[in-house]
Amino acid sequence: QVQLVESGGGLVQAGDSLRLSCAASGRTVSNYFMGWFRQTPGKEREFVAGISWIISSTYYADSVKGRFTISRDNTKNMLYLQMDSLKPEDTAVYYCAAKQGPYRTTYLAYNYWGQGTQVTVSS
């Protein structure tokens, strides 16, 4: 089992920055692919960014490329999402997720999820 706990969400204005954190515990996550997803009411959970824990390859949705940065700290089992130049359309509940195996963008491929943290961007 892997436990994931997100933090760092909040209410900000357009153009501001936020950093989300995800603490991973339980089984070692060194063999897992980690991702950030987001969801708004009535919509499917959407891939935002992902990172391979071992080789640090990173992947981004087109909508956040150049504004968001995913990173991790192996020594602390922490995953981060630095969000810059936030836009109102970034408003969503953000989830940290983990899966074994390679990079995938579909939320159905992920086995472990955090509880989510709300990010609200006002215009």
Side-chain angles (χ1 to χ4, degrees):
Q1 283 287 79
V2 174
Q3 291 79 45
L4 303 171
V5 179
E6 303 97 336
S7 61
L11 171 63
V12 296
Q13 292 187 327
D16 285 352
S17 298
L18 268 180
R19 188 175 85 152
L20 304 184
S21 299
C22 175
S25 60
R27 280 189 179 179
T28 176
V29 293
S30 61
N31 294 327
Y32 285 73
F33 186 89
M34 305 293 293
W36 286 98
F37 286 76
R38 64 188 182 188
Q39 190 170 24
T40 53
K43 290 193 173 181
E44 203 167 84
R45 204 161 285 191
E46 172 192 28
F47 174 81
V48 174
I51 187 167
S52 167
W53 202 267
I54 295 177
I55 63 177
S56 293
S57 297
T58 57
Y59 308 86
Y60 297 94
D62 288 342
S63 59
V64 307
K65 206 171 288 183
R67 300 187 299 121
F68 290 12
T69 303
I70 189 172
S71 63
R72 88 280 186 270
D73 185 333
N74 283 355
T75 63
K76 298 179 181 179
N77 270 5
M78 292 293 295
L79 179 72
Y80 304 101
L81 184 68
Q82 177 67 39
M83 305 187 293
D84 298 321
S85 302
L86 282 161
K87 304 175 181 179
E89 51 263 44
D90 295 318
T91 296
V93 177
Y94 283 72
Y95 297 90
C96 170
K99 66 177 294 295
Q100 291 181 295
Y103 160 59
R104 295 284 299 277
T105 59
T106 173
Y107 71 94
L108 298 172
Y110 290 73
N111 308 104
Y112 303 102
W113 293 88
Q115 81 288 355
T117 185
Q118 176 71 47
V119 171
T120 303
V121 184
S122 64
S123 56

